[in-house]
Amino acid sequence: MIWCAAVLPNTNTNSMNRWFSCFLFNIVTPAHIVRLYDRFEALDKEKTGHLRPQDFGAINRLAMNPIGDRIIGAFFSPGQETVDFHSFVRILAHFRPADKKRPKDPSMPEPVNSRTSKLKFAFQLYDQDKDGKISRAELLQVLRSMLEMQVTEEQLESIADRTIQEADLDKDDAISFEEFRKSLEKVNIDHKMSIRFLR
Amino acid sequence: MVGLIFAALLAFITRFTKKVRIIEPLLVFLMVYLAYLTAELFSLSAILSMTFCGIGCNKYVEANISQKSRTTVKYTMKTLASIAETIIFIFLGISAVDKSKWAWDTGLISCTLIFIFVFRALGVVMQTWVLNWFRLVPLDKIDQVVMSYGERVPAKDYFVATTIIVVFFTVMFQGLTIKPLVNWLKVPRATNRKPTINEEIHERLFDHCLTAVEDIAGLKVEFDKNYLSKLLREYRKSELWEVYQKINIRDAISVIDQGGNVLTSARLSLPSMASRASFPEVTNVTNYLRENGSGVCLDLQVIDNVPGAKVEEESETHHFLAGNLYKPRRRYQSHYSRHFMTVGDHRERQDREIFQRNMKSRMETFKTTRHKRLTETRRTRRGSDVKEQDLNDKPRRNVSWQDKDPVVVPVESEDEKGEHLEPEKEEDVGITFVARKVPDTPKERPKSVPAGLEVCQSPSMAPPSPTCSERNLPWKGGIGTLPVCVSMEATKIIPIDLQQAWNQSISSLESLASPPGPVEPLHPRVSALSRLGGQRPVSYSGSGVSGSGFGSRGLGEEKEEEEGALSDQEQELQPLMSSSVRPPGPPPPPPLAQGLGRRRNPCVYLRSLVTAPPPGSEPLARSRGPTQL
């Protein structure tokens, strides 16, 4: 922990406590942190210790990604203009493989990389206005960005309608987080949303 | 080792078998046999060499050979395997009852059996332990047990009887009990459940998300296999396209069978085709084909009727999604390195501000990374479309990427041809497509119609371009090796075997096809086409998302292609222009009608284009090197 503090001169003690909690649950190891810090510094071209959206935008391949923008946005907490290293790692920690053997203890806070947290992260990608529901319009937006250009508006809308129809259980024409989770219960989220940080 | 050498050789050779598809299966078998013989020659393990040959070349050969060849090889192998198995077991049975050869030793046999268990389990455990270092999802103990139990390689033994007993035991006992054992251990079985729409969409989102995060975290290792793939894999314009086209064909067939009563939900409309209206029910063509996994089967009697429009709707939507959802960049890019032609384009459309902001930095990085991205150009092509556009535009044109009058200046020097061809190509995505296609067409397709159709498929991704003329006129681009590049291309949007199916589907679709019109003189066509070009700036990109649209659009694209040949300027920036406009829908009928008439002429038309380069193509004299490895 101490040498980590040396590596990360910008973090304050509060963050350090949070680091500790990360370690405690073994989500992100020190080796990962170092690697990610290198990456953080590589992205942070002006060495301010914070990342701005432009820094993310500099990643070429992200521009090829239909939802790259949203992902970038997900790194920033609402109202914040920059991302510090702690938040950076925290968001990336979402993508660690979940620990299946962790006993389900309701008193402890849900670890960042559990299935629920991953789903919540994905849900937030859809739900930009953070009202807890994916409205039809939001769904349309995402669909529009993910589908190729020759798709007409009608087709888009029909797909969106279908999606909502399939998932919406309480018939409010929007997908809440619970409905979202239920519709994906058979999908192996852990496999789909995990990356293996190279050791 | 011998096997691997032959695998590499085989993969390399199959890379060039575009023109001689018929010998591909033969080639595969012969090379494998050759591997066997060579190993025998050196007193090495021949069987292992064959095994490794198969393993090594599997991926590359599969990509290189045609669908038919693939099927041939697969079924021949299956047949041979079952024949061999039968013979072996016959001999086994015969020798079992032949008492003269028996020598029974209980101790030996029981020891052997025990050892089999133990060592097999140990071996599996060791291997999986090693593998677990590299796997994301570690194999459970359960999986290990199953794997060790399932091993049926009989242990070698001096005594024939022991061997026989062992084999009997493994085959019969374990073969019979493995199924209940698996059930008992509750190993999660692979389900064939079709994912719901929701799941499909969300899964795709997750994939994109993951890709993005990987990029952000910078964890992706530069994939050296790119080089290997480059070397061994045939140049394929787009595998995604082929799959996409297959899906389209299936959809078309299903639409035909429905007699044009297409799903209202998907709003796919097609003028109903009387020819197949006799099939009353919704057919299950697409599902049937999907299950078979083989090429298009037009034997409609084989197809069962699927009850309910909802199911059909669902499958249509699935196809629609499958064809239209952007595919994220995979971790292992061997097959899929040429994806994403439209992704970048799409991004440009939606996130222009980001694009503009990043353009400068991208220009530099693109130039430097171009080498690395040679194999990824397909993927980045669209994205880099405008980037490259601007990249090249800055020195050459005034750019906003809505600029409709690009002035193309031939630029690339030959030494940089390799790299620059890439951006050039990227600028006119469709151009490269078409360019490559057409020269092959006259050579390979005796019929003009399929050629035309084939050609008309190609522009679906991008603006058809005048490169058909340029391509064949090396002096134009100033790139001497252009013909060489072309010969190396040998790509088709639709594989030959599918073209016929496509052909048939088109012909059935167009039951109202007018008789082929005469070859019209160039000029009226030019004017007509350029007139039309203005109307449909975008529809080139739509190659008929689904069966309904594609019929009309296919012809529309053909038209596009023709007109594109002439009105370059428009085509140039069509990928760009299209970004701001969503296609309104299927192209208006008039072009359709005209397209029908001209359907049979594209090849002729193109040939005439080749011989008499239209003036419009002059400005496009920029090197349109279609080569891309």
Side-chain angles (χ1 to χ4, degrees), chain B residues 38-72:
Chain B
T38 313
E40 281 285 312
L41 199 60
F42 295 118
S43 310
L44 299 170
S45 165
I47 297 179
L48 279 186
S49 89
M50 273 215 305
T51 311
F52 278 106
C53 184
I55 292 173
C57 75
N58 177 37
K59 205 156 47 162
Y60 301 107
V61 168
E62 204 178 316
N64 284 349
I65 66 182
S66 72
Q67 176 65 31
K68 273 188 181 158
S69 302
R70 224 173 286 158
T71 318
T72 310

Side-chain angles (χ1 to χ4, degrees), chain A residues 41 110 173 187:
Chain A
E41 293 215 300
E110 194 83 16
D173 204 29
V187 175

Side-chain angles (χ1 to χ4, degrees), chain B residues 408-480:
Chain B
V408 184
V409 175
V411 164
E412 311 308 328
S413 60
E414 253 143 1
D415 49 343
E416 288 193 278
K417 172 178 61 76
E419 299 161 17
H420 287 269
L421 286 179
E422 195 185 307
E424 310 273 16
K425 214 180 350 167
E426 285 159 347
E427 280 182 78
D428 303 294
V429 179
I431 291 174
T432 52
F433 274 81
V434 176
R436 291 196 207 96
K437 297 302 173 277
V438 177
D440 292 340
T441 330
K443 291 179 215 155
E444 296 190 44
R445 310 295 286 154
K447 302 187 282 182
S448 64
V449 175
L453 289 174
E454 178 199 22
V455 166
C456 91
Q457 281 313 303
S458 48
S460 48
M461 278 306 295
S465 78
T467 51
C468 16
S469 54
E470 292 179 346
R471 195 183 8 84
N472 289 309
L473 300 163
W475 51 265
K476 264 202 184 304
I479 296 211

Side-chain angles (χ1 to χ4, degrees), chain A residues 63-65 69 126 151 158, chain B residues 202 215-216 265 343 347 354 582:
Chain A
M64 316 293 188
N65 199 313
D69 260 4
Y126 280 102
V151 178
S158 69
Chain B
H202 297 321
D215 289 334
I216 289 178
S265 80
V343 171
R347 285 239 14 129
I354 292 184
R582 226 165 223 291

Side-chain angles (χ1 to χ4, degrees), chain A residues 143-153 155-156, chain B residues 244 323-326 341-350 382 401 460-461 537-543 545 553 574-585:
Chain A
L143 275 178
R144 200 174 290 132
S145 67
M146 287 212 300
L147 285 173
E148 292 182 10
M149 280 201 28
Q150 57 260 34
V151 178
T152 66
E153 276 300 316
Q155 288 164 337
L156 266 190
Chain B
Y244 185 54
N324 277 302
L325 277 175
Y326 289 132
M341 280 145 293
T342 56
V343 171
D345 181 47
H346 177 80
R347 285 239 14 129
E348 289 147 24
R349 182 175 69 80
Q350 259 211 342
R382 234 4 189 219
W401 49 293
S460 48
M461 278 306 295
V538 175
S539 47
Y540 71 86
S541 62
S543 78
V545 163
R553 279 190 191 169
Q574 277 198 354
L576 313 174
M577 283 162 40
S578 64
S579 60
S580 48
V581 175
R582 226 165 223 291

Side-chain angles (χ1 to χ4, degrees), chain A residues 30-197:
Chain A
H32 295 161
I33 303 235
V34 172
R35 210 172 180 293
L36 288 177
Y37 190 68
D38 288 340
R39 176 67 177 170
F40 185 86
E41 293 215 300
L43 286 176
D44 182 16
K45 304 215 165 50
E46 282 139 41
K47 306 285 172 237
T48 59
H50 293 275
L51 288 183
R52 286 151 304 131
Q54 298 91 301
D55 295 322
F56 283 103
I59 304 173
N60 287 343
R61 296 186 188 182
L62 219 49
M64 316 293 188
N65 199 313
I67 56 168
D69 260 4
R70 288 172 181 253
I71 306 263
I72 293 174
F75 273 82
F76 294 85
S77 314
Q80 273 197 334
E81 289 290 317
T82 61
V83 182
D84 63 352
F85 185 55
H86 170 79
S87 317
F88 184 70
V89 172
R90 193 177 169 74
I91 304 275
L92 286 179
H94 277 292
F95 289 90
R96 289 285 294 149
D99 185 12
K100 288 189 200 121
K101 301 194 185 59
R102 179 180 62 86
K104 293 216 186 300
D105 188 351
S107 66
M108 290 201 300
E110 194 83 16
V112 172
N113 63 344
S114 75
R115 188 193 154 94
T116 316
S117 309
K118 289 193 208 271
L119 280 175
K120 235 188 164 23
F121 184 79
F123 190 78
Q124 275 160 10
L125 288 180
Y126 280 102
D127 184 21
Q128 298 282 23
D129 56 2
K130 312 249 186 292
D131 61 352
K133 286 184 182 310
I134 304 177
S135 68
R136 193 161 170 278
E138 286 168 345
L139 189 63
L140 264 180
Q141 267 181 11
V142 176
L143 275 178
R144 200 174 290 132
S145 67
M146 287 212 300
L147 285 173
E148 292 182 10
M149 280 201 28
Q150 57 260 34
V151 178
T152 66
E153 276 300 316
E154 300 171 327
Q155 288 164 337
L156 266 190
E157 285 180 15
S158 69
I159 291 188
D161 283 335
R162 245 205 95 175
T163 312
I164 293 190
Q165 198 184 14
E166 270 185 12
D168 196 7
L169 300 166
D170 53 5
K171 306 284 176 248
D172 58 354
D173 204 29
I175 304 179
S176 71
F177 180 62
E178 277 309 314
E179 290 160 357
F180 184 70
R181 180 158 54 168
K182 190 147 198 331
S183 73
L184 289 173
E185 60 190 357
K186 299 212 176 74
V187 175
N188 187 356
I189 300 285
D190 191 54
H191 191 54
K192 281 224 153 247
M193 276 188 78
S194 299
I195 36 179
R196 219 168 143 95
F197 290 174

Side-chain angles (χ1 to χ4, degrees), chain B residues 482-529:
Chain B
L482 204 53
V484 174
C485 303
V486 168
S487 65
M488 273 167 30
E489 290 308 331
T491 55
K492 283 190 189 304
I493 289 279
I494 308 183
I496 296 184
D497 49 350
L498 281 183
Q499 279 171 2
Q500 283 158 356
W502 177 260
N503 198 13
Q504 289 171 24
S505 63
I506 286 281
S507 52
S508 68
L509 207 61
E510 304 302 329
S511 58
L512 50 96
S514 50
V519 180
E520 296 160 21
L522 272 155
H523 297 298
R525 220 178 235 187
V526 172
S527 52
L529 289 173

